[in-house]
Amino acid sequence: MARALIVVDVQNDFCEGGSLAVTGGAQVAADIAGLLADRPNDWDAVVATADWHIDPGSHWSDSPDFVDSWPVHCKVGTPGADFHPNIAPALVGVTTFRKGEHDAAYSGFEGHSDDGAELADWLRDRGIDAVDVVGIATDHCVRATALDAVHEGFTTTVLRELTVGVAPESTDRAVDELRAAGVTVS
């Protein structure tokens, strides 16, 4: 079984100091980088996803409800859209799937690479049939990416210790939803 690691949205705006920071984001960035350094041969491919907003409409708001609307984040051309410095060196040369130029886009499967490839096709073209998902945030983009991975037919595992959620309650609900959909959460 060929396996890929999907690193979800480990960007400055989602880590401490960012416009939509998740507590523990910087540590998760460092931990994922450490995993990639310590176990480089565990995956047949490593990819990253990134929020990449130009004008996502009502997804951005000056008065966000933190359900459907959020503060401005991961705006193309700003430091907030860059990968966090704790992980950026580990992602050099990794194909990145950017999502949400003009809409919300939570799942990495909604994104595309610089050459226009979609994530599911890119993985299948490389013979990948299983994915491990890590990153930020467990209860939003990690959740959406893992659910779409299962929907696309990939055997899917979320490496829980390498994710961080926005809030304990929503993270617990997301983990329950993932397990109910057939995702292994380890």
Side-chain angles (χ1 to χ4, degrees):
M1 184 174 283
R3 181 172 295 277
L5 180 69
I6 303 174
V7 180
V8 177
D9 298 2
V10 185
Q11 295 166 267
N12 288 326
D13 272 346
F14 297 135
C15 295
E16 292 84 351
S19 65
L20 196 51
V22 177
T23 301
Q27 185 61 55
V28 161
D31 292 346
I32 296 168
L35 174 75
L36 289 169
D38 293 344
R39 297 171 36 196
N41 300 317
D42 281 12
W43 297 275
D44 300 287
V46 176
V47 299
T49 71
D51 258 20
W52 198 247
H53 297 310
I54 296 169
D55 181 8
S58 62
H59 183 65
W60 281 348
S61 174
D62 292 332
S63 302
D65 64 14
F66 297 95
V67 175
D68 296 311
S69 62
W70 309 89
V72 173
H73 62 280
C74 298
K75 183 176 182 177
V76 172
T78 68
D82 295 339
F83 290 119
H84 191 274
N86 288 355
I87 197 168
L91 297 180
V92 170
V94 167
T95 300
T96 300
F97 293 84
R98 293 180 173 86
K99 57 192 174 66
E101 288 95 338
H102 300 285
D103 55 13
Y106 293 89
S107 170
F109 286 88
E110 296 176 79
H112 56 82
S113 64
D114 288 343
D115 66 2
E118 294 182 356
L119 180 54
D121 294 335
W122 190 95
L123 293 168
R124 284 189 193 100
D125 288 348
R126 284 147 184 84
I128 302 297
D129 45 17
V131 297
D132 293 335
V133 183
V134 298
I136 304 171
T138 315
D139 39 355
H140 293 282
C141 295
V142 168
R143 174 192 151 277
T145 300
L147 290 173
D148 280 354
V150 166
H151 178 75
E152 290 288 344
F154 297 100
T155 300
T156 305
T157 302
V158 170
L159 304 179
R160 180 69 183 91
E161 69 279 2
L162 295 173
T163 71
V164 62
V166 172
E169 301 81 19
S170 55
T171 298
D172 289 345
R173 283 192 307 272
V175 167
D176 290 344
E177 182 181 4
L178 290 167
R179 286 185 172 133
V183 174
T184 300
V185 180
S186 64

